[in-house]
Amino acid sequence: MIAKTFSAAVNGIDADIIEVEVYISSGSPSITIVGLPDAAVKESKDRVVAAIKNSGFDFPYQKKIVANLAPADLKKEGGAFDLPLALALLAAVGRIQKDKLSEFCIIGELSLEGKIRKGRGLLSIALGLQKNPLKKLLVPFANRQESAIVKTIEVFPFKTLAEAAAFINEELALPPFVYNPDNSQNHFFDSEYDFSDIKGQRSAKRAAEISAAGGHNMIMSGPPGAGKTMLAKRIPSILPPMTFEESVETTKIHSACGQNFGGALIAQRPFRSPHHTSSAVALAGGGVYPKPGEISLAHNGVLFLDEFAEFRRDALEILRQPLEDRRITVSRAKTTISFPASFMLVAAMNPCPCGNFGSYDKECACSAGQILRYKNKISGPLLDRIDIHIEVPALRAGELADWTQFSENSQTIRGRIIYARQIQNMRFKGLKIFSNAQMNVKDIRKYCVMDEMGKQVLKRAIEKLKFSARAYDKILKVSRTIADLDKSALIKSVHIAEAVQYRSFDRM
């Protein structure tokens, strides 16, 4: 007796279709799972046996059972093969329809009492089925929303093994689940953090606005308590809403990592803030079979690295490739996988080891050599890839005590940023570019048109401050964003001058 169905294995953030075969024959009673399963898949035989028995079905205890997961050379991980194995086994003993079962791709981990647990990577699997003749997906009830985002796939969610078996046998009628984005997708950022909470720091808030408007990377330097972290946490509140395509990309990555806790389409831009003790693998992603790291989880959002100079050198240097290419390639002995990594880097660091260098009222205890060594923890090539460098001074006592200060709220700033992004969307229509920060050399030459005075200001800045070629491009990109915020088609001298001010680390 043999039965067959289909399942899927998530590889990185993509999915491969797996053929699940179950063969029952006479012989020494045993259950064997082949096809390169990991420990979790091997243990599924015990979960499947208990789930079948507790769901009211008989189990062929005195038979030899072999389950094959093909292709055999592809690693199978996790408990998502429990449900397809259980249904294929029931089909093999004639309890459910074999022909009907082969129409589905089936995903789900079983509890011992026969309930179907929430899985990971369901959006990746649904997207993978678009290129496969299979168009029906049987999923855990908790994964119904993200699975149904792909409109060309029919999704059938279930809570128990008994329900799934009854559906296959046509004893339970159930229409495909229809995803309604209006119920879960909120286009307006709802946060406890608002820019109106920040006192003073006009130049830092201006830099944050420019950074958000053009998708530029930014690094802040200032003493503890100056407001660097406070500012960074409020940047997501001024970012433009995600497009549907960006939401799908973001949800796919978080789902593959098992971090789509809401179970629906992620509509708000991610904000990731790993601790400075994080390893290079935690940031880049990895493992024997690589999974996305913090860099990819921040895709289409913000990666905030506080205490930037305290990160390990190897962890910082892996940022170089994604900052340039907006993808990161993770190579291991058994496989090489490329993950999307288009994020805004926002970094914050102290000016010296004690943090008081340049403070108004505190004396710095560091020597010149200690300060230089501390700053040199951030390599020149890495700083060169960061568009905006700003210093955030500590507020004076009078500024802190002045409760009459009011600053713009996030909604007002966000309105200007959305307008600037609309200009960029029209500019780059038809191209795979979504912000000024993503322009390449050809795009810079085409879209960063300066007036004569602007050319002269930039030329003098390059000659005097000895900027690198990459810094030159960064200045032009930031100038383009400043001009967009100013609703100017031409980049003028005032835009160039402001952009040059945001390269302060290059002059250290």
Side-chain angles (χ1 to χ4, degrees):
M1 295 177 286
I2 190 168
K4 181 176 72 171
T5 187
F6 297 93
S7 188
V10 178
N11 182 24
I13 60 170
D14 297 314
D16 298 295
I17 302 302
I18 305 298
E19 187 174 332
V20 180
E21 300 173 301
V22 170
Y23 176 62
I24 301 178
S25 64
S26 58
S28 178
S30 63
I31 302 176
T32 305
I33 300 176
V34 298
L36 208 58
D38 72 349
V41 179
K42 291 177 181 178
E43 291 171 354
S44 69
K45 59 186 179 183
D46 299 313
R47 293 191 296 272
V48 167
V49 169
I52 289 176
K53 184 175 180 180
N54 290 320
S55 297
F57 298 103
D58 295 327
F59 187 81
Y61 291 101
Q62 303 303 317
K63 297 291 185 178
K64 181 179 180 180
I65 300 172
V66 178
N68 179 42
L69 306 176
D73 60 344
L74 184 67
K75 182 72 173 179
K76 321 300 187 307
E77 298 179 282
F81 299 101
D82 292 0
L83 185 58
L85 284 170
L87 291 173
L89 201 156
L90 290 173
V93 296
R95 297 303 303 271
I96 61 176
Q97 300 178 35
K98 289 183 181 180
D99 294 340
K100 186 78 173 176
L101 186 64
S102 61
E103 298 175 6
F104 294 88
C105 177
I106 303 172
I107 308 293
E109 178 183 336
L110 291 173
S111 70
L112 298 183
E113 58 183 338
K115 292 183 178 179
I116 305 174
R117 300 183 188 276
K118 183 180 180 180
R120 67 178 182 87
L122 269 298
L123 180 54
S124 297
I125 293 167
L127 290 168
L129 286 178
Q130 289 182 307
K131 301 176 182 178
N132 193 283
L134 287 171
K135 298 300 177 186
K136 296 180 180 180
L137 184 58
L138 198 155
V139 303
F141 188 81
N143 294 110
R144 64 194 184 282
Q145 294 206 64
E146 69 171 273
S147 305
I149 289 171
V150 183
K151 300 297 184 182
T152 56
I153 305 299
E154 293 184 3
V155 174
F156 300 91
F158 296 97
K159 294 181 179 180
T160 66
L161 171 61
E163 288 180 356
F167 174 74
I168 298 296
N169 277 338
E170 299 181 336
E171 297 168 0
L172 174 66
L174 184 73
F177 178 79
V178 177
Y179 174 69
N180 184 357
D182 294 335
N183 292 338
S184 62
Q185 191 167 8
N186 178 14
H187 292 288
F188 298 96
F189 191 85
D190 182 21
S191 173
E192 59 183 312
Y193 302 118
D194 194 278
F195 263 69
S196 61
D197 303 329
I198 303 173
K199 291 184 177 183
Q201 306 297 6
R202 291 181 60 186
S203 61
K205 287 186 283 190
R206 168 66 174 173
E209 180 178 342
I210 294 167
S211 178
H216 302 290
N217 304 311
M218 180 173 73
I219 183 170
M220 299 177 283
S221 175
K228 303 185 296 296
T229 302
M230 190 177 187
L231 183 70
K233 287 182 177 180
R234 283 155 179 76
I235 288 177
S237 70
I238 63 173
L239 289 172
M242 288 201 290
T243 63
F244 178 77
E245 291 74 16
E246 287 177 322
S247 292
V248 170
E249 286 179 351
T250 304
T251 305
K252 181 179 178 181
I253 296 168
H254 285 251
S255 174
C257 293
Q259 294 197 19
N260 185 19
F261 304 115
L265 193 67
I266 296 174
Q268 295 182 352
R269 295 187 182 274
F271 181 83
R272 306 294 298 188
S273 181
H275 194 261
H276 63 263
T277 57
S278 300
S279 66
V281 173
L283 291 178
V288 178
Y289 296 92
K291 290 183 172 61
E294 292 290 337
I295 286 174
S296 293
L297 289 169
H299 182 62
N300 291 322
V302 177
L303 177 66
F304 175 49
L305 300 184
D306 203 2
E307 303 296 344
F308 198 48
E310 301 299 333
F311 279 81
R312 288 168 40 175
R313 184 67 175 254
D314 62 330
L316 291 180
E317 293 307 310
I318 59 103
L319 292 169
R320 290 196 197 182
Q321 183 203 8
L323 287 177
E324 284 290 305
D325 302 338
R326 303 194 177 272
R327 295 193 70 83
I328 184 163
T329 302
V330 179
S331 298
R332 295 294 181 264
K334 296 183 178 180
T335 186
T336 297
I337 296 179
S338 182
F339 297 121
S342 180
F343 58 88
M344 262 182 64
L345 173 65
V346 178
M349 61 181 287
N350 294 331
C352 66
C354 77
N356 295 327
F357 182 71
S359 176
Y360 298 121
D361 53 2
K362 294 182 181 179
E363 186 176 349
C364 178
C366 306
S367 67
Q370 287 176 316
I371 295 172
L372 183 60
R373 284 192 296 273
Y374 185 78
K375 291 179 176 178
N376 284 341
K377 289 183 178 181
I378 314 300
S379 70
L382 179 57
L383 277 176
D384 219 22
R385 287 169 167 80
I386 300 176
D387 309 41
I388 295 176
H389 310 162
I390 58 168
E391 296 181 7
V392 184
L395 294 178
R396 297 181 185 274
E399 293 176 292
L400 285 172
D402 184 5
W403 291 99
T404 63
Q405 287 192 66
F406 292 97
S407 60
E408 289 183 306
N409 60 28
S410 292
Q411 187 175 355
T412 303
I413 300 171
R414 194 180 194 226
R416 293 197 296 267
I417 288 170
I418 290 173
Y419 182 84
R421 285 291 184 105
Q422 289 172 345
I423 293 173
Q424 293 166 51
N425 290 337
M426 289 187 288
R427 176 183 299 134
F428 304 127
K429 190 175 182 179
L431 304 175
K432 292 184 178 180
I433 300 175
F434 305 101
S435 65
N436 288 331
Q438 298 177 6
M439 289 189 289
N440 59 30
V441 175
K442 288 183 179 178
D443 299 321
I444 292 171
R445 189 180 302 120
K446 182 176 180 180
Y447 299 113
C448 295
V449 181
M450 296 175 280
D451 62 13
E452 286 303 318
M453 184 64 73
K455 292 178 182 178
Q456 292 301 318
V457 171
L458 182 56
K459 182 181 178 181
R460 287 196 297 270
I462 297 296
E463 291 174 348
K464 185 176 180 179
L465 301 173
K466 309 298 182 185
F467 289 131
S468 68
R470 183 180 282 114
Y472 174 85
D473 289 344
K474 298 291 186 187
I475 290 170
L476 284 175
K477 291 179 184 180
V478 173
S479 300
R480 179 67 273 169
T481 300
I482 297 170
D484 290 342
L485 286 168
D486 200 26
K487 303 177 183 179
S488 173
L490 278 178
I491 297 175
K492 301 177 182 178
S493 59
V494 65
H495 306 142
I496 294 290
E498 185 177 359
V500 169
Q501 290 180 0
Y502 298 132
R503 301 299 301 183
S504 61
F505 283 33
D506 290 346
R507 303 193 287 276
M508 288 182 176

